[in-house]
Amino acid sequence: MGEQRTAGEWLARFSEALSAGDVDRVTGLFGEECYWRDLLSMTWNLHTAEGREQVAAMLAGVGRGAWPAELEVTSESEADGVHEAWFTFGNETFTGKGLVRVRDGLAWTILTSAQALRDHPEPSGARRPRGAEHGVNVSTENWLDRRRQRVESYGLDAEPYVLVVGGGQGGIGLAARLGRLGVPTLVIDKHARPGDQWRSRYHSLCLHDPVWYDHMPYLPFPDHWPVFTPKDKMGDWLESYTRVMELDYWTSTEATSATFDADAGSWTVHVTRDGREIVLHPAQLVLATGMSGIPSVPTLPGQDVFQGDQHHSSKHPGGARYVGKKVVVVGSNNSAHDICADLWQNGAEPIMLQRSSTHIVRSDSLMDKVLGPLYSEEAVAAGIDHDTADLVFASIPYKILADFQRPAFDAIREQDKDFYAALEAAGFDLDFGDDDSGLFLKYLRRGSGYYIDIGASELVAKGAIRLVRGQVDHLEEHSVVLTDGTRIEADAVVYATGYGSMNGWAARLISQEVADAVGKCWGLGSDTTKDPGPWEGELRNMWKPTRQDNLWFHGGNLHQSRHYSRYLALQLKARMEGIDTPVYALAETHHLA
């Protein structure tokens, strides 16, 4: 057991050991259980070294020039015997921020995160552009002329360095970061207007995450913004964001095929824009289609004879169409609950078909016990802005995140025991995850299996949303038939059955061979339900190099898209500038989908 010392004292010894270039001396400062999570700054990857042996291998594998230097402690604290310190650092390529946790005198967890490329800082503050050329030699082109010319030049006499397929919050947040870094970037989206991804969703949809969690890069929501953003309000914000951030954005545009030329180091991407085919040749291709792949619609006997409507939840038109109708919603997670509530509010008769257990957490409880310490008005008042909160959350290695989350969800289970008892009395099959770690681990491991309750659970508990448990065997003309023989009369069926892996988009756009080379996106390899091992330590293929050169995946919730877009943008900028980017520990492919 090490001697007691503050995190600042530990960092001083850490800095000395790094300066001496002594790997053994550095690793001797780490506890037997230890984790070093690096976000790009040393590894050109998102990588967590677990244990002293992996820490030593990482230091040896990246080269001395990538090691943190110029360490400066910016703040320190202590709680429950764990000493923490924030610090800044630099190396040959980056300036960065870090956070270390020390217990019993030795490092338990350390985060090093790249914040900026030394030689390519963003043009903010004193580096902002003038924006005007005063004098007699003023160009006849004004700002608007230049904007229009640039947006229309792609595929004619200019090429984007980065093509982003998908113009939702993830794609435009990344494009904003790339724009600030001077990387020519084109975003394409099939919808007619930015924000239509949200406007086209079912009528009652609001964000389930609170406003403090959902800011976009550079432009936070104003301080009067509602806690839970309605879908159309979010759509308008995103449309305004594309204009204010001056993004090159093509609407009504769909990518139809893409091939990579390894010799040329570029893609050939065929797109259809307003019915016209255009060929683009970006160096880098980013699939920014969310964290989900293609909608998963089950193939069931009798679907061809069923007389009513059938559609996936992503295509749900809203409950107003089904007044007085019996609608079976297959599924019991977020979308299923929202759609059932929407149907009930519009005078339909929703029947929720629960096929497997679901984790439920009340929105207020989630905000209070889980998100509140980092993302809330109280956190802001305590000096924790969303950028700081993002780094605090990122500093918890995925391997031990369940241990951090479990106490909060234990408290929620006790606090809301009457709520859960009412659901169970109604026959609802509840869980708190395979290891009782709650919502966020379910989200990271499998991206499904939960509902953040904003009212639908009460409707289930009191029977306003009829609950049936079982598996679908087949459909008949006017009913859904379960494997136990139960017949559920139905005028419509909504398949709230989730989505495939994001590499399904790569299969559709590029090839199945490339999709298989990249492998499954999302999940940690936790060997829990729908997240098969082996353990990988980071989310598969997200925001980092993949097994297909120059192909990247960007998505996640608003918090993840905002935070990790920084690291993806820095990787793309470095490659454009010809900076050497030796990737340490490029992830293996273990699962095809």
Side-chain angles (χ1 to χ4, degrees):
M1 185 168 292
E3 64 187 85
Q4 291 295 330
R5 65 171 73 113
T6 68
E9 291 170 339
W10 183 91
L11 280 167
R13 298 191 183 192
F14 181 58
S15 180
E16 291 170 1
L18 289 167
S19 297
D22 190 334
V23 172
D24 290 339
R25 187 173 162 193
V26 173
T27 56
L29 295 170
F30 284 76
E32 190 169 329
E33 181 196 12
C34 62
Y35 307 89
W36 187 337
R37 189 175 191 217
D38 180 63
L39 302 181
L40 198 63
S41 69
M42 295 193 300
T43 58
W44 289 105
N45 201 354
L46 308 184
H47 177 73
T48 302
E50 300 178 357
R52 292 171 178 162
E53 186 175 330
Q54 288 189 19
V55 168
M58 180 174 70
L59 287 168
V62 301
R64 285 284 304 279
W67 291 13
E70 308 162 13
L71 277 73
E72 291 189 14
V73 177
T74 56
S75 67
E76 292 188 68
S77 61
E78 184 273 336
D80 299 322
V82 177
H83 296 260
E84 294 187 358
W86 288 95
F87 61 96
T88 59
F89 68 92
N91 59 20
E92 289 182 350
T93 309
F94 292 107
T95 57
K97 291 182 181 178
L99 176 61
V100 65
R101 295 182 181 90
V102 175
R103 59 183 187 184
D104 297 324
L106 298 172
W108 176 30
T109 74
I110 185 169
L111 171 76
T112 47
S113 69
Q115 295 293 301
L117 289 161
R118 276 190 181 276
D119 296 336
H120 302 279
E122 294 187 5
S124 59
R127 291 187 293 271
R128 72 175 73 232
R130 285 180 58 83
E133 298 176 16
H134 301 299
V136 295
N137 294 318
V138 176
S139 169
T140 57
E141 291 184 332
N142 70 1
W143 168 86
L144 183 59
D145 295 328
R146 291 189 292 272
R147 282 283 301 127
R148 286 173 173 165
Q149 190 278 331
R150 188 177 74 190
V151 172
E152 297 304 321
S153 68
Y154 294 122
L156 295 174
D157 53 13
E159 297 291 349
Y161 181 76
V162 178
L163 177 65
V164 179
V165 178
Q169 69 267 10
I172 66 174
L174 174 62
R177 291 199 187 274
L178 289 167
R180 290 254 296 209
L181 288 167
V183 178
T185 302
L186 175 63
V187 180
I188 63 172
D189 194 90
K190 65 182 180 181
H191 292 92
R193 293 165 56 196
D196 278 353
Q197 304 87 348
W198 286 94
R199 297 186 189 97
S200 62
R201 299 295 301 279
Y202 48 89
H203 189 70
S204 61
L205 178 66
C206 288
L207 270 68
H208 288 208
D209 295 323
V211 63
W212 307 278
Y213 194 71
D214 292 339
H215 295 296
M216 296 290 289
Y218 309 118
L219 294 179
F221 295 111
D223 59 10
H224 73 286
W225 201 262
V227 173
F228 300 106
T229 306
K231 71 178 183 72
D232 297 287
K233 190 177 182 71
M234 188 67 191
D236 289 348
W237 179 262
L238 295 178
E239 185 171 24
S240 300
Y241 187 92
T242 64
R243 293 174 178 162
V244 172
M245 296 305 294
E246 299 182 22
L247 306 185
D248 296 345
Y249 191 113
W250 283 1
T251 57
S252 303
T253 304
E254 191 163 1
T256 57
S257 69
T259 56
F260 183 66
D261 184 334
D263 293 331
S266 65
W267 293 88
T268 297
V269 184
H270 292 260
V271 306
T272 302
R273 184 186 186 198
D274 292 321
R276 179 168 55 97
E277 183 172 324
I278 300 171
V279 180
L280 299 168
H281 297 283
Q284 309 287 343
L285 179 62
V286 179
L287 301 186
T289 50
M291 58 154 285
S292 302
I294 296 165
S296 296
V297 181
T299 300
L300 298 167
Q303 286 176 316
D304 55 338
V305 301
F306 182 71
Q307 296 296 299
D309 290 347
Q310 297 178 73
H311 55 265
H312 188 264
S313 58
S314 60
K315 303 293 185 184
H316 184 60
R321 182 180 296 185
Y322 301 101
V323 176
K325 303 289 187 181
K326 294 180 172 64
V327 183
V328 173
V329 179
V330 181
S332 55
N333 297 334
N334 258 340
S335 293
H337 278 83
D338 283 350
I339 289 170
C340 283
D342 176 58
L343 289 164
W344 178 81
Q345 290 167 350
N346 280 280
E349 297 181 39
I351 302 102
M352 179 185 291
L353 178 57
Q354 185 178 30
R355 301 175 299 161
S356 59
S357 66
T358 307
H359 172 57
I360 307 287
V361 60
R362 294 174 61 245
S363 176
D364 288 349
S365 300
L366 183 68
M367 288 178 59
D368 178 41
K369 301 293 186 185
V370 181
L371 295 178
L374 293 179
Y375 300 96
S376 64
E377 209 62 45
E378 292 74 20
V380 173
I384 304 174
D385 62 13
H386 57 275
D387 288 327
T388 301
D390 289 349
L391 287 173
V392 172
F393 197 82
S395 74
I396 304 170
Y398 289 126
K399 188 78 169 181
I400 56 173
L401 182 57
D403 296 333
F404 278 71
Q405 295 280 293
R406 199 175 290 110
F409 283 96
D410 286 345
I412 287 172
R413 180 152 42 184
E414 175 61 27
Q415 171 186 287
D416 295 336
K417 59 185 176 183
D418 293 342
F419 166 79
Y420 291 117
L423 277 173
E424 289 180 323
F428 197 88
D429 190 5
L430 288 164
D431 73 54
F432 273 75
D434 286 15
D435 55 359
D436 289 333
S437 56
L439 182 139
F440 205 69
L441 267 298
K442 263 203 160 186
Y443 169 71
L444 292 169
R445 290 165 174 169
R446 53 183 281 189
S448 65
Y450 53 83
Y451 167 56
I452 302 173
D453 177 46
I454 55 174
S457 289
E458 181 182 353
L459 299 176
V460 172
K462 69 182 185 182
I465 295 172
R466 179 182 162 197
L467 177 68
V468 179
R469 284 167 56 180
Q471 304 293 329
V472 180
D473 183 78
H474 65 278
L475 274 62
E476 296 177 346
E477 288 186 355
H478 303 290
S479 61
V480 175
V481 183
L482 305 187
T483 53
D484 65 0
T486 301
R487 278 177 168 76
I488 308 170
E489 187 179 345
D491 299 301
V493 178
V494 180
Y495 298 105
T497 46
Y499 301 82
S501 171
M502 275 185 77
N503 68 334
W505 295 117
R508 178 176 289 187
L509 179 63
I510 308 166
S511 70
Q512 189 64 52
E513 181 181 12
V514 166
D516 289 347
V518 168
K520 181 180 176 68
C521 298
W522 210 257
L524 300 167
S526 62
D527 204 24
T528 57
T529 304
K530 296 189 177 182
D531 184 28
W535 176 250
E536 301 192 38
E538 294 284 343
L539 284 170
R540 300 181 186 97
N541 286 313
M542 299 303 299
W543 317 295
K544 61 184 180 180
T546 70
R547 288 282 166 177
Q548 169 59 56
D549 290 344
N550 299 40
L551 176 65
W552 311 79
F553 293 87
H554 179 60
N557 59 29
L558 282 150
H559 146 249
Q560 291 170 306
S561 291
R562 172 187 66 245
H563 182 221
Y564 289 100
S565 63
R566 175 191 300 276
Y567 310 112
L568 179 47
L570 289 171
Q571 291 172 84
L572 294 167
K573 171 66 172 179
R575 283 161 173 78
M576 188 188 82
E577 296 295 343
I579 297 171
D580 189 26
T581 58
V583 177
Y584 178 76
L586 180 65
E588 299 288 340
T589 298
H590 297 291
H591 306 283
L592 301 187

